[in-house]
Each structure stands twice: as C-alpha cells, then as structure tokens.
Amino acid sequence: HIYYMTVSGHMYYSFSGNSMSSRNKDAVKHLDMSENARAYYACHIELDKALQYLIEQLEKEIVGCKLNGHRTKRLPGNVNMSLSGMEGETVLIRLDMQGICASTGSACTSGSLEPSHVLLAMGLDTSTAKSSIRFSLSEENTYDEADVLVTCLKEIVVSLRETLDLG
C-alpha cells in the first residue's frame, strides 16, 4: 500500500512544482505543504465531485450503463463505463462525430481492438469489456459539459439499440 506519495505536478495535469498526497486526509493537514500542493489537493477534490456527478448522471440517464471499477478509489478525472449490449468502438465513433473525445477500454490498451486485460482482470467478461468507454476529465471541464456528454451518449445508445432491434 502507498501511504504517502510525492509527484511532480506538471506530470499529472497540475501546477508546476512538487506536491504530496496521502491516503489519510487528516495527515495531510499536519504536513508542511506548499501553496501549490494545497491548490493541487483542492483542485482534485473539485475534480472528484465533478467525476461523481458524471458517474451518477450516466447511470441515472442511460439504461445498462454501469461503472467499471471502484466508485471513489480511482485515478483523478478517469471514469470507465460499460454500456450493456453496445460495441465500444461503435459508440466511440458516434461520440467523435459529436466532437466528444473518449477511448475504449482502459488507458493501458488505448487503440487496441482487443478487450482490455485490465478490465478482464477486474472481473469483467469479454462482452462487457468490449462495451466499455473511458472518459477523462480535468479541472477545466464543467458540469454543463458533463450534461452535454450524458445527453449525447444517451441519444447514441438509444439510436444504436433501436437500430439493433430492427435488424
């Protein structure tokens, strides 16, 4: 287990300089942190709130949309969702046509048509892993943009399901 970790901020879409992170929120209060580290920590709290909002909206609005992985123990800004009965690549193309950037599978297999070995190791079956879409958010994304994503993805999924039912 990692209890404390220091990183260079510029490597993780943060402020330049170094920051420290801790598994124990109370311990962070006792550290002599720079302003950059405090700002980094505060930024990721806001990012986590936006990410949780996106996850909740996706699950609420899209039938068969399910979070892959733990609800809170995840990379900041990273969300991977499976869409029951969908092919991730088809959804990805439709999202791209709407100007929305996303990926299929996990970050480790970006660009591959094979199901992610990470998602399979997490216990997902091949079909579910292939139906997965990964979104990455930053502190620059807004709740309005999350709403646009949810609306577009819902329209895409409904349209594809109607098409599949006709065939």
Side-chain angles (χ1 to χ4, degrees), residues 27-119:
V28 173
K29 294 176 185 173
H30 304 299
L31 297 173
D32 182 16
M33 299 186 333
S34 69
E35 287 301 313
N36 282 348
R38 279 191 208 106
Y40 174 80
Y41 186 69
C43 177
H44 281 282
I45 290 172
E46 288 305 311
L47 180 58
D48 186 58
K49 287 178 186 176
L51 190 70
Q52 294 308 316
Y53 174 79
L54 176 61
I55 292 167
E56 289 168 12
Q57 293 305 305
L58 288 168
E59 290 177 327
K60 177 179 144 189
E61 295 294 327
I62 302 172
V63 175
C65 186
K66 182 181 175 216
L67 176 67
N68 296 329
H70 195 275
R71 190 159 294 278
T72 58
K73 295 177 183 177
R74 54 190 329 100
L75 289 174
N78 185 299
V79 61
N80 192 304
M81 307 294 289
S82 56
L83 300 163
S84 180
M86 299 283 102
E87 282 290 330
E89 287 296 323
T90 304
V91 175
L92 186 64
I93 291 167
R94 298 271 182 107
L95 285 169
D96 184 52
M97 292 169 59
Q98 297 293 320
I100 297 173
C101 298
S103 298
T104 54
S106 71
C108 302
T109 57
S110 186
S112 172
L113 293 178
E114 293 300 313
S116 163
H117 67 280
V118 173
L119 295 176

